Amino acid sequence: MISAPAIPSDVRSDASTASSVKQPLNCTRREVALPLAYLLCMALVGLQFYPALLGVVACMLYAWRHDRYNLMMMLLLFAGSYGLTQGKLFGIRYSDMVGAAALVCLVVLRKRPIIAKALIVYVAYAAVLFTVALFSRERMQIQVLQMREYLYFIIFLVPVAVFAGREFDIRAFFRVSMIYILIICAFYIIDAFVLYGNILMPATDAWRGYMSSFTEFYWAPLSFNIDRKYPIGLYLMSLMVYPVARYYTLNKWQWMLVLGALAASRTITVIVGLVLFYAIFSGTVRQLLKYAFFAIAGFVALYFIDYNLPRTSNDVYESPMRIASTVQQFIDLFDVVDPDDMAEFGSGRMAQLLPKLEVIQHEHREWTGLGFLHPEKTKIEAYIIDNELYSDIEKAEEVAIGVECVPAWVFLNAGIIGLVAHYLFFFGLWWIVRKEEYGSYFLAVMLTCMFWSLTGNANVINMNGLGPVSWAFAAVYLQAKTQKMKDEEMLSPAVDSQGL
């Protein structure tokens, strides 16, 4: 068996080296080299330079032989893409490839106790979704295409298989995951503030619709414009909330990378979620109150700065940092007099939702929803609406699904029954690992992604949110398994000496 790479003693999680004192996240060039090479290869694939797939595979093979923690992160980034690529090649999704690998792993791993319990919860959840889908007017062949995204959690078996027969150190995984995240933060900063384009994170432009390729860059380097980038790559930050709150300190340059990337995305929900759960998992009421005070003071200061900056000329007012305009949306709720006014709330999210709720009410499908409709393949006339609340007429005709709020989305797909099953599923997963040493890590990742999902970020009904959540669950399981093996090894000499 090839030995795992040497891990600095200060990051090992066994009892002999564990410490309540936070350690600095000091990274060597060697630790950064492989993640940087992999991320650059993925970015080239996102720029449609497909020979770079050879580099992706080469990095994975090297990690397989020398560093499984890197391989674990590589597979997550490959499955979810997270702004690096479009997520599919020749019509095949990378997430489906990893999902198929998970099903192969299922045959071998299904009998392990924690995994068996997780699979029972998973199968029950899938059964509920399938049952409510039977009540839909849409064909099951169409519904399965969308339903499978709800079930991507099964990929947690892939990292479990990667570490089959090997010891796992969750603190080492924390370090490796944070290195990848910080590099991605640097990519965000370079794209947004230096290149003014989508080069290092090619799939992060959700507004202008310009997709750069290696033969045609859409960029304006050193133009001193500031681009807003879709935060899909920052969803991986959910993996670092708990480690930074409990075990590691970031230096000023690392904090600058984090803050710079958040400034590039300007997504309030993502920022609030990080601050909120960092404070909650920091451990003490005093710390929580301290962080809350500084967060509120900082928010108020940024609000007044943002309010006095030059405003954009968009049809809908949006302040440069999107703080003042977000607050204004809540203030405007007091002046709502008709559906058109309500439609503007949540950056237009209510405009997405209101007409679709009317369809559910009209068909009396509150308990089972409309089914897992497909945005392109669903042709049922009653489910294709002309949304008059949209300002963009070209987007007015759409299928009655897809809103930027996961609870509402689940309700549209699966009704009240599906919504209850959705939250019971995640609660059940947490219940399984709640007593494990690092069970709170899974809870932190899960709650962060679920909070972000309220505004359509890191959706926990597709790979965006299920990727980090499934990897966190796998990490907790692997650590628990390794610790159990160590405990058994420590007990076995004593047992032998007594002749038992």
Side-chain angles (χ1 to χ4, degrees):
M1 181 182 296
I2 299 171
S3 61
I7 305 299
S9 60
D10 66 318
V11 303
R12 294 190 180 278
S13 59
D14 55 78
S16 62
T17 57
S19 173
S20 59
V21 179
K22 286 188 176 183
Q23 301 289 339
L25 183 65
N26 296 323
C27 307
T28 65
R29 292 183 180 179
R30 183 179 179 182
E31 288 179 295
V32 173
L34 184 57
L36 179 60
Y38 179 78
L39 290 169
L40 287 174
C41 287
M42 285 288 286
L44 286 171
V45 173
L47 292 171
Q48 301 173 40
F49 184 72
Y50 296 119
L53 278 170
L54 296 175
V56 170
V57 174
C59 288
M60 287 185 176
L61 290 175
Y62 180 87
W64 170 264
R65 291 179 58 85
H66 301 287
D67 190 343
R68 298 291 176 93
Y69 299 100
N70 265 284
L71 179 61
M72 191 170 169
M73 282 303 297
M74 289 175 184
L75 289 169
L76 175 58
L77 284 158
F78 182 80
S81 296
Y82 296 103
L84 292 163
T85 75
Q86 292 297 307
K88 59 184 178 181
L89 184 65
F90 306 125
I92 302 175
R93 291 187 181 187
Y94 300 150
S95 55
D96 288 338
M97 296 180 192
V98 178
L103 293 177
V104 175
C105 299
L106 176 62
V107 178
V108 180
L109 302 172
R110 67 183 185 277
K111 294 183 179 180
R112 299 182 181 182
I114 291 180
I115 292 178
K117 293 177 183 178
L119 289 175
I120 290 173
V121 174
Y122 177 83
V123 170
Y125 178 53
V128 172
L129 297 182
F130 183 83
T131 301
V132 296
L134 294 174
F135 291 89
S136 174
R137 294 169 58 182
E138 183 58 277
R139 293 175 298 163
M140 187 59 72
Q141 300 97 300
I142 302 295
Q143 293 192 72
V144 167
L145 298 175
Q146 294 297 103
M147 194 190 307
R148 81 184 194 279
E149 296 197 10
Y150 277 70
L151 302 176
Y152 274 139
F153 179 80
I154 193 68
I155 66 170
F156 84 93
L157 293 173
V158 173
V160 172
V162 166
F163 279 89
R166 289 172 175 261
E167 289 188 359
F168 180 83
D169 191 313
I170 199 168
R171 299 281 286 275
F173 171 68
F174 289 166
R175 282 177 59 85
V176 170
S177 63
M178 286 192 286
I179 290 171
Y180 278 87
I181 292 165
L182 290 174
I183 294 173
I184 288 174
C185 287
F187 283 7
Y188 262 80
I189 292 169
I190 294 170
D191 266 3
F193 302 116
V194 180
L195 301 180
Y196 189 65
N198 298 283
I199 309 302
L200 295 175
M201 301 294 294
T204 53
D205 188 346
W207 294 275
R208 295 194 302 273
Y210 297 133
M211 181 67 186
S212 293
S213 69
F214 75 101
T215 58
E216 187 175 13
F217 286 176
Y218 290 99
W219 64 343
L222 301 178
S223 63
F224 300 104
N225 292 318
I226 299 177
D227 192 18
R228 183 192 173 199
K229 299 180 71 62
Y230 187 57
I232 184 171
L234 304 185
Y235 300 160
L236 296 175
M237 282 187 174
S238 59
L239 294 173
M240 70 184 293
V241 171
Y242 186 80
V244 174
R246 291 292 184 89
Y247 301 110
Y248 293 98
T249 59
L250 303 183
N251 62 41
K252 63 179 181 180
W253 297 108
Q254 292 165 341
W255 276 118
M256 287 177 66
L257 289 176
V258 171
L259 296 175
L262 293 174
S265 76
R266 283 179 280 166
T267 307
I268 301 300
T269 310
V270 172
I271 297 171
V272 171
L274 288 173
V275 173
L276 175 63
F277 292 106
Y278 174 79
I280 289 174
F281 286 94
S282 290
T284 66
V285 175
R286 182 178 179 181
Q287 286 177 310
L288 178 60
L289 293 175
K290 180 180 73 173
Y291 292 136
F293 172 78
F294 284 113
I296 293 171
F299 183 83
V300 172
L302 288 173
Y303 169 81
F304 284 106
I305 293 172
D306 193 29
Y307 184 81
N308 289 286
L309 288 173
R311 303 189 177 193
T312 61
S313 57
N314 297 341
D315 293 336
V316 178
Y317 162 59
E318 183 176 281
S319 56
M321 291 191 289
R322 303 184 73 243
I323 296 174
S325 53
T326 300
V327 173
Q328 189 61 44
Q329 290 182 48
F330 285 93
I331 296 174
D332 290 344
L333 279 178
F334 293 100
D335 298 324
V336 168
V337 295
D338 57 36
D340 289 332
D341 293 332
M342 178 63 76
E344 298 299 330
F345 180 70
S347 300
R349 288 177 174 84
M350 292 302 294
Q352 300 172 343
L353 179 60
L354 292 176
K356 296 160 188 175
L357 290 178
E358 290 180 3
V359 176
I360 280 205
Q361 293 173 347
H362 177 73
E363 298 211 350
H364 305 291
R365 292 181 178 271
E366 291 87 351
W367 284 100
T368 60
L370 301 175
F372 298 89
L373 309 181
H374 194 280
E376 298 172 358
K377 298 183 182 296
T378 292
K379 304 299 180 183
I380 300 173
E381 187 174 344
Y383 294 162
I384 299 176
I385 62 175
D386 186 15
N387 195 333
E388 298 178 353
L389 298 179
Y390 285 160
S391 57
D392 188 344
I393 300 177
E394 294 181 0
K395 297 180 181 179
E397 186 175 288
E398 61 176 349
V399 177
I401 59 163
V403 294
E404 293 179 65
C405 175
V406 161
W409 195 330
V410 176
F411 175 71
L412 291 172
N413 284 157
I416 296 173
I417 295 174
L419 189 60
V420 171
H422 176 74
Y423 285 103
L424 285 178
F425 169 62
F426 287 103
F427 176 80
L429 292 174
W430 170 74
W431 189 261
I432 291 170
V433 298
R434 73 192 188 285
K435 293 184 179 180
E436 301 299 339
E437 182 182 1
Y438 287 90
S440 294
Y441 174 57
F442 171 71
L443 181 65
V445 176
M446 181 186 76
L447 291 178
T448 302
C449 289
M450 293 180 78
F451 179 84
W452 288 343
S453 293
L454 295 176
T455 56
N457 295 292
N459 291 341
V460 286
I461 56 172
N462 58 35
M463 188 61 74
N464 288 349
L466 288 176
V469 171
S470 60
W471 251 236
F473 186 89
V476 173
Y477 164 75
L478 287 167
Q479 179 65 28
K481 180 174 74 74
T482 298
Q483 190 60 50
K484 182 179 179 181
M485 291 171 58
K486 290 181 178 180
D487 292 343
E488 290 174 349
E489 289 176 2
M490 292 176 64
L491 287 174
S492 56
V495 171
D496 293 340
S497 67
Q498 295 175 21
L500 298 177

